[in-house]
Amino acid sequence: MDFYSSYAQGFARVAAVTVPVAVADPAANAAVILEQARHLHEQGVGVAVFPELCVTGYAIDDLFLQDTLLDAAEAAVRDIVEASATLTPVLVVGVPIADGARVLNCAVVIHRGVVLGVAPKSYLPTYREFYERRWFAPGDDRTGTITYAGQQAPLGNDLLFAATDVKGLVLHVEVCEDMWVPVPPSALASLGGATVLANLSASPITIGRAESRRTLVQSASGRCNAAYLYCAAGQGESTTDLSWDGQTMVYELGELLGETERFPDGPRATVVDVDLDKIRQERLRQGTHDDNRRGLGLSTTDSFRTVEFTLDPPKGDIGLLRKVDRYPFVPDDPARLDLDCYEGYNIQVSGLEKRLQAIGNPKVVIGVSGGLDSTHALLVAAKAMDRLGRPRTDIHAFTMPGFATGDTTKSYAWRLGQALGVTFQEIDIKPAARQLLDDLDHPYSEGEKVYDITFENVQAGLRTDYLFRLANHRGGIVLGTGDLSELALGWCTYGVGDQMSHYNVNAGVPKTLVQHLIRWVIAHGEFAPDANEVLGQILAQEITPELIPTEEGVKPQATEDSTGPYALQDFTLFHVLRHGMRPSRVAFLAWHAWRNSEVGEWPPGYGDGNRPAYDLAEIRHWLDVFIRKFFASQFKRSALPNGPKVSAGGTMSPRGDWRMPSDASRTAWLAELENVPQD
């Protein structure tokens, strides 16, 4: 496997291009198209789409019916075909073609000296400024073949162009108005297997039309589970009665990958890498995509014709032309993050509200350590009580110091409890822990400094045991605090431990999102200033379970020393859980996202001193750790208590997004990880 190759990793580089047009001068237009095609070839582009009727110009009216123009257009396309023999990209150009007694508005698909096919425009506008039926015939009933530019090629809107050497690259082409009808040809093509949908438009610009195009392209890419390439005519088109803005854009699964400036001076191209593997995985998950095909009576073999070609893409590292979020659970855009936090927080609060109402409005019993997770769960509980019109004193919060509990974190727990006005109490678990270790005949009871898993879980288990008995005693339910990342890695004590509760509001929240939820609570004034002050101090702490006593000169216990950086592990979790990615591909994306802290965007809250970088060796190491812990911990996730799904990235609930056998083997995943270079 060529690890560093984006094509080998399931991506394909595409371009939506607009070029200056010489009105009714096909030879000049062919020269401009080829100049751009050569530039795109040098950039490693595999598919390049040019505007509708770009070979002749769109606004040339009755000249479309002149033999001189039609002949010149065919000669120009022949030149493009011949010159394409040494170029990588599949070139899609717009041209008028005489077929029998009518002229068709066509997209010609060309690759390496071959006309792969001709896709005629199916739907011709005749409203407002459009008069296309004056010159063209609709192409929706055209099938079979056509001889053009000296070659015989298939003709029709049912053509799928499939690369034999780039898995998942299946192109379908439609023209302008085809996108604006209720059931576009591209929608049907996506059901037939097309993953890259292309639209060649002329589309004269009026106020608001650019946004309408963007809405349609975004919707089409999301609804069809595909990438959608769009390009409009721009500079040079006749402005007798119209104007042109040259808009180009590429959307993938409803997300904008790139766009160019409008009203440009000269050619422009949106060049991006579309994720073919992601599209394929999305369709595997959303079974209704194929069910829609069945419901419409479409056959993948009879309803569409497939034209195969060999792309022969560039080898090796050509970079990755798309944004890869370092924190896929945390948006970089402040406004989007604010909205996500608003929704996430209220999902948790409303989930707890409903649970409390459904079981007779019991009290809430919660363990509070002064760390991020329990702090946030306490905030959720406090807001739920406010919305239910109940006193916060119905929240019974307990801090339970053990052998390694620090005074600082304990003070945070106390101060937060007091600031929120909850019922707060401290229970020292050390005497009970000593008794239990003594009963177990553990070496620690004999004075030896043995801090093994038993030593840690005695403390974690006692805390949960106390909480459940306190809930019995005080008429409450135990509110869980463990987060999604901990559940993925098994960083929780099973059974009578922090894996268990009566309801867990944090089960759908990844570790990297928790701090932003707390920041949102502070910024939006959900609680009083004294609570905000201690929340800010809690946010500044290093994550630690505080189960092993700290010795002088020895680094205190830190969770990420065992689990790996949560930034990396949440990155892996998102791409495994949401998109089913193989380990080497996760590593490839992580390498692009994390290798240079000075490149790319960061979410709010990460200053210059809090922007780590990870090299490929580190990424590979922590991926290995993730795989081993993830598979070993499924038995814990199979017995999870209830809790709301929060992120579209997924959840670990066996009743929700994730089901797997507890005894599944990790061998295949570890073997696939060997595709990642060691250095």
Side-chain angles (χ1 to χ4, degrees):
M1 176 186 181
D2 187 355
F3 174 82
Y4 296 100
S5 166
S6 58
Y7 279 96
Q9 291 286 4
F11 296 91
R13 186 157 297 175
V14 301
V17 191
T18 190
V19 291
V21 168
V23 177
D25 189 345
N29 293 329
V32 172
I33 291 168
L34 282 172
E35 180 183 18
Q36 291 307 302
R38 293 184 182 101
H39 289 320
L40 297 170
H41 166 81
E42 293 170 358
Q43 297 176 52
V45 169
V47 176
V49 181
F50 294 81
E52 178 183 14
L53 296 169
C54 59
V55 172
T56 59
Y58 174 85
I60 63 172
D61 301 334
D62 288 350
L63 295 181
F64 284 125
L65 301 178
Q66 293 287 313
D67 284 340
T68 301
L69 180 98
L70 295 172
D71 292 344
E74 184 169 7
V77 172
R78 190 190 300 264
D79 290 342
I80 295 172
V81 172
E82 291 176 357
S84 73
T86 59
L87 303 177
T88 298
V90 173
L91 304 177
V92 186
V93 299
V95 63
I97 298 178
D99 182 41
R102 299 298 299 274
V103 177
L104 303 176
N105 181 344
C106 294
V108 179
V109 182
I110 302 163
H111 186 244
R112 295 196 183 276
V114 177
V115 178
L116 295 179
V118 177
K121 187 172 185 176
S122 295
Y123 302 100
L124 303 178
T126 56
Y127 53 88
R128 295 195 294 273
E129 67 266 35
F130 299 107
Y131 293 89
E132 289 192 28
R133 287 292 285 265
R134 178 181 175 95
W135 312 295
F136 302 120
D140 55 339
D141 63 344
R142 300 290 175 132
T143 59
T145 62
I146 188 171
T147 299
Y148 191 70
Q151 298 188 26
Q152 188 176 56
L155 170 72
N157 66 10
D158 60 342
L159 302 178
L160 306 181
F161 302 94
T164 58
D165 55 344
V166 179
K167 183 179 180 180
L169 177 53
V170 183
L171 172 69
H172 177 267
V173 179
E174 63 186 4
V175 183
C176 200
E177 186 74 12
D178 293 349
M179 178 180 74
W180 296 75
V181 299
V183 184
S186 59
L188 300 178
S190 74
L191 299 178
T195 55
V196 177
L197 311 175
N199 186 289
L200 292 71
S201 282
S203 192
I205 186 62
T206 53
I207 293 173
R209 183 170 289 174
E211 195 57 40
S212 296
R213 297 175 193 143
R214 187 178 289 112
T215 298
L216 284 173
V217 172
Q218 179 182 28
S219 175
S221 72
R223 191 179 60 254
C224 295
N225 288 323
Y228 200 104
L229 286 59
Y230 179 90
C231 55
Q235 187 179 25
E237 282 283 0
S238 173
T239 58
T240 301
D241 291 298
L242 300 167
S243 191
W244 317 84
D245 68 337
Q247 185 176 26
T248 77
M249 56 187 145
V250 178
Y251 274 83
E252 174 191 283
L253 300 171
E255 296 184 7
L256 179 65
L257 296 187
E259 59 184 338
T260 55
E261 65 183 289
R262 295 167 56 212
F263 304 101
D265 180 13
R268 295 291 186 275
T270 295
V271 182
V272 295
D273 290 330
V274 297
D275 193 339
L276 302 173
D277 271 8
K278 185 177 176 182
I279 291 168
R280 178 177 52 80
Q281 276 283 341
E282 196 68 9
R283 292 181 180 184
L284 290 178
R285 277 161 175 69
Q286 188 182 334
T288 51
H289 181 95
D290 186 61
D291 289 343
N292 188 205
R293 175 193 60 79
R294 295 173 59 254
L296 293 173
L298 299 175
S299 166
T300 55
T301 54
D302 298 334
S303 301
F304 305 94
R305 289 177 289 166
T306 298
V307 180
E308 294 186 340
F309 66 97
T310 300
L311 181 65
D312 191 20
K315 306 296 190 295
D317 184 6
I318 60 171
L320 186 65
L321 299 183
R322 63 184 287 130
K323 179 184 176 184
V324 182
D325 289 321
R326 290 180 171 90
Y327 295 91
F329 290 107
V330 183
D332 297 328
D333 177 60
R336 179 72 247 183
L337 177 58
D338 185 77
L339 179 59
D340 280 14
C341 288
Y342 159 77
E343 291 183 335
Y345 181 61
N346 281 282
I347 287 168
Q348 294 177 278
V349 172
S350 61
L352 180 57
E353 280 185 84
K354 171 61 178 177
R355 177 51 55 96
L356 293 174
Q357 289 174 318
I359 57 177
N361 288 306
K363 296 180 175 65
V364 170
V365 174
I366 181 173
V368 183
S369 67
L372 288 176
D373 290 344
S374 62
T375 292
H376 182 60
L378 181 58
L379 297 176
V380 170
K383 184 57 64 174
M385 289 299 182
D386 292 350
R387 285 171 42 166
L388 289 169
R390 295 175 57 185
R392 292 182 189 169
T393 50
D394 279 354
I395 301 171
H396 289 226
F398 298 87
T399 184
M400 292 174 280
F403 297 120
T405 302
D407 292 336
T408 300
T409 52
K410 187 171 74 171
S411 71
Y412 290 158
W414 267 104
R415 288 169 55 201
L416 183 60
Q418 292 169 343
L420 294 175
V422 305
T423 301
F424 200 90
Q425 184 178 338
E426 179 177 324
I427 297 176
D428 186 352
I429 66 166
K430 291 192 290 295
R434 290 192 186 96
Q435 180 62 54
L436 185 51
L437 288 167
D438 185 53
D439 292 342
L440 294 173
D441 197 24
H442 190 274
Y444 181 82
S445 65
E446 301 296 329
E448 297 183 39
K449 295 180 179 180
V450 177
Y451 305 133
D452 57 8
I453 190 67
T454 303
F455 179 84
E456 294 189 35
N457 280 350
V458 159
Q459 298 170 80
L462 276 172
R463 287 177 175 134
T464 304
D465 198 2
Y466 270 112
L467 291 174
F468 271 98
R469 303 296 74 80
L470 285 162
N472 294 154
H473 184 54
R474 301 193 181 190
I477 63 167
V478 176
L479 189 66
T481 63
D483 63 52
L484 178 67
S485 309
E486 292 175 340
L487 294 172
L489 296 166
W491 195 250
C492 52
T493 301
Y494 182 71
V496 185
D498 53 327
Q499 176 262 351
M500 187 49 62
S501 63
H502 289 116
Y503 193 75
N504 184 0
V505 292
N506 282 347
V509 181
K511 182 74 75 178
T512 49
L513 183 59
V514 174
Q515 61 175 299
H516 297 282
L517 290 167
I518 296 175
R519 286 197 182 101
W520 182 89
V521 166
I522 296 171
H524 286 262
E526 297 290 307
F527 300 102
D530 54 344
N532 290 343
E533 180 182 355
V534 67
L535 288 175
Q537 294 169 338
I538 290 171
L539 283 170
Q541 293 183 103
E542 183 176 17
I543 301 169
T544 173
E546 291 193 317
L547 293 172
I548 296 176
T550 301
E551 298 182 21
E552 187 174 351
V554 178
K555 183 180 183 292
Q557 184 183 20
T559 299
E560 290 179 304
D561 290 345
S562 299
T563 64
Y566 276 114
L568 281 183
Q569 301 301 42
D570 274 4
F571 184 95
T572 298
L573 175 61
F574 179 88
H575 290 292
V576 168
L577 181 60
R578 182 65 182 84
H579 298 302
M581 291 187 183
R582 58 188 182 274
S584 63
R585 195 164 188 273
V586 174
F588 175 80
L589 289 173
W591 179 64
H592 278 279
W594 285 101
R595 59 179 167 166
N596 188 342
S597 62
E598 297 180 0
V599 175
E601 298 180 61
W602 290 81
Y606 294 92
D608 291 341
N610 189 27
R611 295 186 172 185
Y614 302 102
D615 61 27
L616 187 57
E618 292 174 294
I619 291 167
R620 190 185 193 281
H621 168 73
W622 291 118
L623 252 175
D624 183 274
V625 170
F626 180 93
I627 293 169
R628 295 177 188 278
K629 288 183 176 293
F630 187 84
F631 276 85
S633 303
Q634 177 58 31
F635 75 98
K636 297 181 181 181
R637 300 188 292 268
S638 294
L640 286 184
N642 295 167
K645 178 178 178 179
V646 174
S647 169
T651 180
M652 294 271 90
S653 170
R655 300 166 298 278
D657 280 7
W658 189 253
R659 296 166 175 83
M660 70 174 275
S662 298
D663 51 6
S665 172
R666 63 198 178 200
T667 302
W669 281 260
L670 291 174
E672 207 285 331
L673 185 62
E674 292 300 314
N675 289 316
V676 181
Q678 297 269 6
D679 49 18

